[in-house]
Structure formats: C-alpha cells, structure tokens
Amino acid sequence: MRKAFPGVFLIGLTVSMTGCSTSQSTDASSARILSPGAQGQFDCADRNDNRFIDQTELIYLRQCGVGENLKCEGVPETATGRPPASDFELGLRMLQVSDVDRDDRISKLEFRAHCSSVGQAE
C-alpha cells in the first residue's frame, strides 16, 4: 500500500501543475492583445516595426490619435505631413506615464495597460 501512494501523489501533482501552466499561458497571451483602435495607434507610431514605440517615434503619437489628455482614441482618417516638434512633448509625457520598466520605449503591453487605465481599451 505504501508503494502505491507516492505514484498516486505524483500523478495528481503532474495533473495539477499542467492545469496551472495551461491557464497561465492563456491569460498571459490574452493580456497582450490590443483593441482594434489601440492596435492601429500602436502600429501607426511604430514606424520601424520593432514592436516598440521608441523615443524617435514619440513624435508620431499625436498624429496617430493619442490626444492631449493621453487617451487612446483611434487613428485619424488623415495624417498631416511631418509632425511639429511640439508633438514630441506629448510623446515624452506618454513615455513617462506608460513606460513601466523604464527602458525608454513603450511596449504593446505597456500601451495596452495605459489605454485600459484611461478607459479606452476593449
């Protein structure tokens, strides 16, 4: 009877560990999904397609629909030519507010968290 107990325990432990890891990976991947409007804004600002909004791309945030109140509102229908230098200040404020890991760039996860905190992500 003692020999059967450790085997049963290990099977139960394996099943419970598998269940935990499966549900955690699903939650983590769904946390990285942006709403269509926020995804459009992120893609619009990420001009070099490296999956981050770098400091050189901060100037495009206003042009891509991030308002003065830093709300994520969707990409405007038309974009003007080169954005004015004053738009960089808005981008710096967005970076200060949303760059949680302080790597001087905004990841999709950080962008999503910011958009959710201002009530605009779906």
Side-chain angles (χ1 to χ4, degrees):
M1 189 103 170
R2 284 190 154 179
K3 292 181 182 178
F5 179 72
V8 171
F9 177 74
L10 288 176
I11 291 171
L13 182 61
T14 303
V15 170
S16 67
M17 286 175 59
T18 303
C20 290
S21 66
T22 302
S23 65
Q24 287 175 350
S25 64
T26 302
D27 292 341
S29 63
S30 66
R32 298 182 191 282
I33 297 172
L34 292 170
S35 69
Q39 180 69 52
Q41 287 180 312
F42 189 89
D43 291 343
C44 175
D46 181 21
R47 301 293 168 108
N48 63 7
D49 293 323
N50 69 346
R51 298 183 188 168
F52 292 94
I53 299 173
D54 301 315
Q55 286 189 359
T56 59
E57 298 164 326
L58 294 175
I59 196 165
Y60 299 109
L61 285 172
R62 183 188 312 270
Q63 191 178 49
C64 294
V66 175
E68 196 60 42
N69 53 8
L70 300 182
K71 285 189 176 180
C72 306
E73 300 169 336
V75 180
E77 291 287 325
T78 59
T80 59
R82 185 179 174 100
S86 62
D87 286 359
F88 187 68
E89 293 173 19
L90 174 98
L92 282 177
R93 287 197 312 272
M94 181 74 172
L95 181 68
Q96 291 170 345
V97 168
S98 59
D99 183 22
V100 177
D101 61 5
R102 300 293 177 222
D103 63 352
D104 293 327
R105 58 189 187 172
I106 302 170
S107 68
K108 280 189 178 185
L109 186 59
E110 290 169 330
F111 195 80
R112 181 185 185 277
H114 172 76
C115 291
S116 294
S117 71
V118 293
Q120 297 298 314
E122 297 174 44

